């Protein structure tokens, strides 16, 4: 089955700096890669996702890059703010064409702390 | 437009009791997924259901755990004869039938935190 490794486990940055979280996956059939933000006591919230036919996707201060050959993908947060502090999870899934079934395999999570 | 609703938010059970966790998917979503999160770990897939059908239960322990998604009413994750190792946060997610092109369209609930004492 799929295995997703996420690094680093903790990341501490100063407000305004950039933060990068990296993930690798094992199953070359995986074609969908979402990133989730989880705040204390809450469920994971989707912040950005990318499909395997795209190399990069950006949404304001957040961007995700995908390298299919190397089987790794990364989350980039620019101009970090204290409210970005949370646990971030990467995940990988195989979507069979035409269905919405996507069992997600999650990374172990990264605790991001942004210091004011 | 209510999101995925899970209840209860917190559940305390003594060893040997039964735990029932409920999940109401978002309106229009017909697919439900259950995940378990142990402390300081990522989420682990347990089971995927459509209305009245279990599609994939490969992540569910073979004993004591069961799940259903009836034609009417919420999805239920049932844990019989709970043990301390069942203490975790259990999250439900739902998605629509059709892909939007933006991915699976997963929406997670806020979870049920089960504590077995």
């Amino acid at each position: 089955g799929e295995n997703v490794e996420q690094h680093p486990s903790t990341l501490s940055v100063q407000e305004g700096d950039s933060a990068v979280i990296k993930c690798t996956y094992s199953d070359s059939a995986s074609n969908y890669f979402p990133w989730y933000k989880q705040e204390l006591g809450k469920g994971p919230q989707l912040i950005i996702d990318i499909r395997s036919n795209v190399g990069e996707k950006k949404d304001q201060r957040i961007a995700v890059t995908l390298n299919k050959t190397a089987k790794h993908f990364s989350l980039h947060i620019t101009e970090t703010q204290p409210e970005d502090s949370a646990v971030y999870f990467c995940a990988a899934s195989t979507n069979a064409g035409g269905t919405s079934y996507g069992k997600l395999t999650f990374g172990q999570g990264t605790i991001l702390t942004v210091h004011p | 437009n209510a999101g995925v609703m899970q209840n209860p938010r917190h559940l305390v059970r003594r060893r040997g009791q039964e735990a029932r966790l409920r999940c109401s998917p978002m309106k229009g979503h017909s697919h439900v997924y259950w995940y378990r999160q142990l402390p300081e770990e990522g989420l682990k897939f347990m089971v995927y259901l459509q209305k009245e059908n279990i599609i994939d239960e490969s992540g569910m322990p073979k004993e004591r755990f069961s799940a259903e998604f009836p034609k009417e009413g919420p999805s239920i994750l049932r844990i019989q004869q709970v043990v301390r190792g069942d203490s975790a946060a259990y999250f439900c997610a739902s998605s629509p039938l059709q892909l939007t092109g933006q991915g699976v369209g997963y929406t997670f609930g806020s979870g049920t935190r089960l504590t077995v004492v």
Side-chain angles (χ1 to χ4, degrees), chain A residues 25 67-72:
Chain A
Y25 62 99
N67 183 325
K68 280 181 61 179
T69 304
K71 290 191 279 191
H72 66 70

Side-chain angles (χ1 to χ4, degrees), chain B residues 24-45:
Chain B
S24 297
M26 282 187 70
K27 186 177 181 179
H29 286 194
S30 56
H31 299 226
V32 167
Y33 314 78
W34 285 93
Y35 286 79
R36 176 163 64 175
Q37 185 177 32
L38 294 171
E40 299 183 8
E41 292 189 13
L43 287 80
K44 304 292 186 188
F45 170 80

Side-chain angles (χ1 to χ4, degrees), chain A residues 1-5 24-30 71 92-94 103-106, chain B residues 45 56 58:
Chain A
E2 175 67 278
N3 182 51
V4 177
E5 296 288 333
T24 60
Y25 62 99
S26 60
D27 188 349
S28 57
S30 288
K71 290 191 279 191
S93 172
T94 304
K103 179 173 73 176
L104 292 175
T105 300
F106 282 84
Chain B
F45 170 80
D56 182 350
S58 60

Side-chain angles (χ1 to χ4, degrees), chain A residues 32 36 38 41-44 49 51 57 89 95 99-104 106-108, chain B residues 9 31 33 35 37 42 45 48 56 58 91 96-97 99 102-104 106 108-109 113:
Chain A
Y32 172 66
Y36 287 86
Q38 185 176 27
K42 296 184 178 179
D49 56 15
R51 300 188 67 82
K57 184 177 178 181
F89 291 97
N95 287 145
T99 72
S100 71
Y101 173 43
K103 179 173 73 176
L104 292 175
F106 282 84
Q108 298 87 344
Chain B
R9 290 294 306 275
H31 299 226
Y33 314 78
Y35 286 79
Q37 185 177 32
F45 170 80
Y48 160 53
D56 182 350
S58 60
F91 290 97
L97 176 62
L99 284 171
Q102 296 299 317
V104 177
Y106 263 49
F108 279 91
R113 279 144 188 89

